[in-house]
């Protein structure tokens, strides 16, 4: 174990262990300062909220103090990809540099592990007659015989988003727990035991919130008692908290209940034709309800939509279908643990469905008082989810943290607006946290250019996306492709994809989000070397493309929450009634933080060079545009395509504001 008398600045300094063991390691004052702040929090306790700009090296800044000390620490990341990177790449480097004996475990949610019982059920179901399902089952069975962890990411031949995984993994609703016939060999149980014994446990935010809810409801815990929690990519926490402290009911949950009921019957060879018929009828009711919600992808408030006679009728049919299956499952529950589990799930889903059918009791959604919740829905191409979201969850989140009696470090490249952390901290109820901020050490002034094109229409105009694509075309010619075009909506993304498909003389390969799995799309973009990737949502953050393959980031407009977003509308109304300013206090800071995430895709390494094109004319035409511009890295600002071309050619022209 490293000597604690050696401070973080020395550990990460020019003569420290990282410099000795890593050939390309370069000391950074920002990294050393952050490591010192993390070390102080680990020793003294309390809460630290730390923003570290791209290139600070925040991962080593928090790992170095962790592995210099004894004591149990839980590290949570925003995505499974970052979780794997920490466990497989970053932590081994830090452990070796510091000669640390601390034991590390990786723990993911149960849906990431093969369920041996459900694998057995899948082999007995009628779906096995389908050629594609039979082929998938054969692949998984062969892998099941050799895997030690059971983590489905090991089997690269089947993408993580393949629907087959739902048949052979479990979730909190369909897991049989200790009553499962395969419990002794359960991969989830083994992973959790390893986590309980480890000094450092690497998890993701979804698993953290699952643990928070278990402790809050008095049902135990998933994670070990820890001296400290370090939450990376912490900017995601408010949105996740909003979802986890609410209630959701999705068409997939109902469909899986119906299919699991049938699989349990087949496994028993039970002759219950009415149960099977009711399960199939429920699937049809789910499909009909999705159609009644309308075409396309959208979000809307439930009270306004539910007055539709067609939707009301579809809701009653869905309730009746679920009730019919529930009654059959209640009769069959004593015959088998799997059928009993389905019966309990049907009860839970029925209670949630009543929240949207006017049958909620005075206590509201799972303990939330009436008026303190927002009911809304969202639809995908073939899916739907009904949501009950708390109006305010700050007090709930803060009380949850205090149950752990641990130190907490929240870190990300995007938590503040300027030097102000109040938007992030207030949403999570951590107003008393210590805050610190470090700018990126990258030389943006020399290596990056901010292009604000002239004469674009206002974002609300009908042909705005077409104008953005047209303005981007000469920039893409100057950059030789090698670009991300980031959109604030799926509608704009799809419109841009159609425009590029019809564009004559555009020779760069175009990669469109949704046409391939996320990782495969990104890998093809990297290999192409001159591609243009059109993305939204997940491509705004957590995507790391270093080197010349990504030399231009084009953002269509400022990422404000859509004005018809039902959650925003409800919270804005409450803020306005209390005398607040929803735009200034909520919508604007959230958009600034989101824009910083998108901008952060451009420069990922010290040698990277690139152009950031922000198309939204409100940056210069509205007074609030300066709030966004002040929070961008210090890049030279230009207004003409010729200056962009000169940048890529290595010629410098005068800046124009």
């Amino acid at each position: 174990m490293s000597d604690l008398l050696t401070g973080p600045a020395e550990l990460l300094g020019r003569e420290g262990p990282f410099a000795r063991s890593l050939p390309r390691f370069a000391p950074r004052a920002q990294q050393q300062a952050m490591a010192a702040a993390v070390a102080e929090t680990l020793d003294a306790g309390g809460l630290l909220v730390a923003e570290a700009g791209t290139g600070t090296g925040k991962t080593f800044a928090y790992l170095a103090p962790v592995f210099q000390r004894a004591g149990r620490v839980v590290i949570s990341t925003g995505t499974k990809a970052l979780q794997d990177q920490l466990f497989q790449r970053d932590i081994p480097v830090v452990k070796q540099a510091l000669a640390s004996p601390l034991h590390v475990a990786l723990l993911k949610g149960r849906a990431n592990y093969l369920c041996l019982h459900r694998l057995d059920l899948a082999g007995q179901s009628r779906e096995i007659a389908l050629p594609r399902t039979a082929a998938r089952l054969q692949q998984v069975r062969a892998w099941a015989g050799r895997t030690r962890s059971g983590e489905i990411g090991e089997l690269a031949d089947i993408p993580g988003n393949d629907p087959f995984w739902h048949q052979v993994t479990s979730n909190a609703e369909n897991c049989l727990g200790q009553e499962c016939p395969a419990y002794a060999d359960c991969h989830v149980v083994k992973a959790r035991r390893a986590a309980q014994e480890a000094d450092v446990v690497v998890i993701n935010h979804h698993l953290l919130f699952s643990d928070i809810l278990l402790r809050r409801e008095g049902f135990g815990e998933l994670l070990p008692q820890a001296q400290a929690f370090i939450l990376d990519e912490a900017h995601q926490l408010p949105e996740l908290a909003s979802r986890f402290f609410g209630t959701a009911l999705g068409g997939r949950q109902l469909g899986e209940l119906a299919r699991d009921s049938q699989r349990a019957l087949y496994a028993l060879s039970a002759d219950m034709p009415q149960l099977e018929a009711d399960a199939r009828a429920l699937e049809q009711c789910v499909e009909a309800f999705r159609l009644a919600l309308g075409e396309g992808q959208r979000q809307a408030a439930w009270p306004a939509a539910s007055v539709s006679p067609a939707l009301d009728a579809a809701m009653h049919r869905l309730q009746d279908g679920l009730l019919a299956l529930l009654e059959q499952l209640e009769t069959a529950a004593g015959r088998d643990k799997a059928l009993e589990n389905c019966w309990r799930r049907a009860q839970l889903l029925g209670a949630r469905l009543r929240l949207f059918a006017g049958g909620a009791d005075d206590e509201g959604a799972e303990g939330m008082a009436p008026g303190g919740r927002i009911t809304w829905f969202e639809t995908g191409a073939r899916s739907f989810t009904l949501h009950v979201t708390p109006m305010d969850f700050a007090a709930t989140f803060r009380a949850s943290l205090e149950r752990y009696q641990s130190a907490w470090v929240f870190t990300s490249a995007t938590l503040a607006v300027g030097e102000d952390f109040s938007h992030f901290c207030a949403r999570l109820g951590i107003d008393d946290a210590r805050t610190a901020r470090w700018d990126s050490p990258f030389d943006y002034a020399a290596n990056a250019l901010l292009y604000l094109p002239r004469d674009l229409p206002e974002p609300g105009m009908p042909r705005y996306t077409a104008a953005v694509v047209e303005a981007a075309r000469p920039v893409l010619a100057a950059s030789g492709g090698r670009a991300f075009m980031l959109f604030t909506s799926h509608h704009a993304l799809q419109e841009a994809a159609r425009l590029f498909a019809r564009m004559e003389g555009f020779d760069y390969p175009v990669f469109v989000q949704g046409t391939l799995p996320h990782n495969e799309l990104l890998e093809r973009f990297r290999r192409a070397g001159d591609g243009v990737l059109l993305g939204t949502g997940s491509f705004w953050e957590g995507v790391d493309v270093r080197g010349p393959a990504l030399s231009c980031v084009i953002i269509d407009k400022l990422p404000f929450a859509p004005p018809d977003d039902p959650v925003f509308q409800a919270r804005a109304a409450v803020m306005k009634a209390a005398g607040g300013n929803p735009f200034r206090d909520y919508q604007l800071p959230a958009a600034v933080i989101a824009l910083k995430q998108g901008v952060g895709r451009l420069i990922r390494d010290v040698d990277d060079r690139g152009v950031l094109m922000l198309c939204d004319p409100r940056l210069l035409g509205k007074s609030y545009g300066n709030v966004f511009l002040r929070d961008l890295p210090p890049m030279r600002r230009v207004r003409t395509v010729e200056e962009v071309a000169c940048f890529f050619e290595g010629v410098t022209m005068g800046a124009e504001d």
Side-chain angles (χ1 to χ4, degrees):
M1 181 71 66
S2 300
D3 188 348
L4 279 175
L5 296 177
T6 303
E10 289 77 16
L11 286 179
L12 295 162
R14 195 170 301 279
E15 305 299 327
F18 290 92
R20 292 194 298 269
S21 61
L22 299 177
R24 296 188 61 194
F25 181 81
R28 283 158 281 188
Q30 297 93 329
Q31 186 182 57
Q32 295 168 18
M34 179 178 171
V38 171
E40 182 179 340
T41 304
L42 294 180
D43 293 338
L47 297 94
L48 171 66
V49 178
E51 177 177 289
T54 305
T56 298
K58 61 182 170 64
T59 304
F60 281 11
Y62 63 70
L63 288 179
V66 165
F67 283 93
Q68 191 189 22
R69 287 160 170 72
R72 183 169 286 165
V73 177
V74 173
I75 300 172
S76 182
T77 70
T79 64
K80 288 181 286 187
L82 291 172
Q83 191 181 358
D84 289 335
Q85 177 181 314
L86 263 178
F87 183 74
Q88 296 169 8
R89 290 169 44 191
D90 298 330
I91 285 177
V93 169
V94 174
K95 281 193 66 177
Q96 182 175 4
L98 299 181
S100 171
L102 296 184
H103 177 59
V104 185
L106 177 72
L107 182 61
K108 297 182 179 179
R110 71 171 75 242
N112 294 280
Y113 299 92
L114 176 68
C115 174
L116 298 173
H117 173 60
R118 288 178 63 80
L119 176 63
D120 184 53
L121 287 180
Q124 301 176 47
S125 73
R126 292 184 180 178
E127 294 159 293
I128 195 61
L130 300 173
R132 187 176 182 277
T133 302
R136 287 288 191 240
L137 183 62
Q138 186 177 3
Q139 287 176 287
V140 173
R141 277 178 168 168
W143 167 70
R146 61 179 184 269
T147 181
R148 296 183 63 185
S149 72
E151 188 185 334
I152 65 175
E154 284 183 6
L155 188 53
D157 293 341
I158 303 180
N161 61 352
D162 191 295
F164 181 76
W165 285 123
H166 295 305
Q167 296 187 42
V168 295
T169 57
S170 67
N171 55 44
E173 293 173 353
N174 60 33
C175 176
L176 300 181
Q178 295 185 22
E179 296 177 332
C180 177
Y183 183 80
D185 298 314
C186 177
H187 292 298
V188 174
V189 172
K190 291 177 181 178
R192 289 180 178 174
R193 285 174 182 162
Q196 292 289 338
E197 297 168 359
D199 302 298
V200 178
V201 184
V202 182
I203 64 170
N204 58 58
H205 297 339
H206 286 82
L207 188 60
L208 172 67
F209 276 106
S210 296
D211 191 71
I212 286 175
L213 291 180
L214 279 178
R215 295 184 191 228
R216 177 171 167 242
E217 294 168 0
F219 290 126
E221 59 193 41
L222 299 173
L223 306 176
Q225 294 289 335
Q227 171 193 344
F229 286 79
I230 297 177
L231 312 186
D232 202 346
E233 301 298 315
H235 64 277
Q236 299 177 2
L237 293 173
E239 179 61 28
L240 286 171
S242 179
R243 299 259 177 148
F244 268 85
F245 291 135
T247 302
L249 171 65
R252 195 177 79 180
Q253 291 171 286
L254 292 164
E256 287 183 351
L257 169 66
R259 290 185 289 274
D260 283 349
S261 299
Q262 294 175 72
R263 290 176 189 131
L265 276 182
Y266 303 151
L268 279 178
S269 299
D271 184 20
M272 297 187 67
Q274 190 58 50
L275 193 157
E276 184 175 352
D278 287 341
R280 291 181 175 177
L282 177 60
E283 290 187 89
Q284 294 172 356
C285 292
V286 169
E287 293 176 4
F289 185 78
R290 170 62 190 90
L291 290 174
L293 288 169
E295 296 181 356
Q297 299 179 346
R298 68 180 182 126
Q299 297 179 348
W302 175 255
S306 62
V307 298
S308 159
L311 186 56
D312 183 62
M315 169 61 80
H316 280 93
R317 286 195 297 271
L318 184 60
Q319 280 191 292
D320 291 343
L322 181 57
L323 179 61
L325 179 59
L326 174 64
E327 291 172 349
Q328 291 296 317
L329 288 169
E330 184 175 12
T331 302
R335 304 177 68 172
D336 176 66
K337 290 299 179 184
L339 285 170
E340 181 181 343
N341 173 266
C342 289
W343 172 55
R344 297 189 187 282
R345 287 162 60 189
Q347 290 176 304
L348 173 65
L349 297 181
R352 291 182 181 178
L353 194 58
R354 286 195 296 276
L355 296 171
F356 295 88
D361 58 26
D362 291 338
E363 198 173 41
E366 298 187 358
M368 287 183 286
R373 66 186 193 220
I374 307 158
T375 54
W376 58 287
F377 71 92
E378 60 183 333
T379 58
R382 300 177 61 184
S383 63
F384 71 85
T385 307
L386 307 177
H387 294 275
V388 180
T389 299
M391 189 72 72
D392 181 19
F393 50 83
T396 304
F397 184 81
R398 180 55 187 259
S400 298
L401 297 193
E402 291 172 350
R403 290 187 179 91
Y404 288 84
Q405 298 183 335
S406 306
W408 292 83
V409 175
F410 302 81
T411 185
S412 170
T414 56
L415 294 175
V417 178
E419 301 293 332
D420 184 9
F421 288 84
S422 61
H423 175 73
F424 173 80
C425 291
R427 294 192 69 192
L428 296 180
I430 53 174
D431 299 350
D432 57 338
R434 174 190 172 193
T435 62
R437 181 178 173 274
W438 298 276
D439 288 327
S440 169
F442 291 155
D443 189 353
Y444 281 88
N447 294 333
L449 199 70
L450 171 59
Y451 172 45
L452 303 177
R454 300 182 189 274
D455 301 325
L456 282 175
E458 289 295 310
M461 300 296 288
R463 288 188 48 78
Y464 180 74
T465 299
V468 166
V469 170
E470 189 61 30
R473 183 171 182 171
V475 175
L476 296 172
S479 66
R482 305 185 298 154
F484 275 8
M485 285 192 71
L486 301 178
F487 297 88
T488 55
S489 71
H490 286 278
H491 177 78
L493 168 70
Q494 295 303 323
E495 183 180 351
R498 290 191 295 270
L499 290 167
F500 275 107
R502 296 196 298 262
M503 190 178 290
E504 295 182 2
F506 190 81
D507 297 327
Y508 304 110
V510 177
F511 302 93
V512 182
Q513 180 178 341
T515 57
L516 290 169
H518 184 284
N519 290 339
E520 185 177 347
L521 194 71
L522 197 58
E523 185 56 34
R524 291 193 183 189
F525 171 81
R526 287 192 180 104
R527 288 201 305 264
D530 63 349
V532 178
L533 190 149
L534 312 185
T536 187
S538 59
F539 280 96
W540 279 69
E541 59 179 276
V543 178
D544 191 0
V545 180
R546 303 188 180 204
L550 178 57
S551 298
C552 183
V553 170
I554 302 170
I555 295 178
D556 72 332
K557 56 185 173 181
L558 298 175
F560 287 113
D564 59 350
D565 180 314
V567 177
F568 167 71
Q569 285 181 330
R571 288 182 176 150
V574 170
M575 292 176 71
K576 193 170 183 178
N581 184 321
F583 179 78
R584 181 196 63 206
D585 301 334
Y586 182 82
Q587 198 175 16
L588 181 59
V592 170
I593 290 172
L595 180 67
K596 288 166 65 176
Q597 276 293 326
V599 171
R601 299 315 99 215
L602 181 62
I603 303 294
R604 305 301 300 174
D605 208 344
V606 66
D607 298 321
D608 285 356
R609 297 180 78 251
V611 168
L612 171 66
M613 177 179 176
L614 299 181
C615 300
D616 197 323
R618 293 175 295 182
L619 280 163
L620 297 177
K622 301 290 186 181
S623 59
Y624 59 75
N626 283 326
V627 179
F628 290 93
L629 292 171
R630 284 197 302 265
D631 239 22
L632 296 178
M635 296 176 279
R636 187 164 62 91
R637 189 191 307 174
V638 301
R639 303 297 309 278
T640 69
V641 172
E642 289 75 18
E643 289 165 300
V644 172
C646 287
F647 174 85
F648 283 117
E649 292 169 3
V651 179
T652 302
M653 296 180 65
E656 182 182 343
D657 291 331

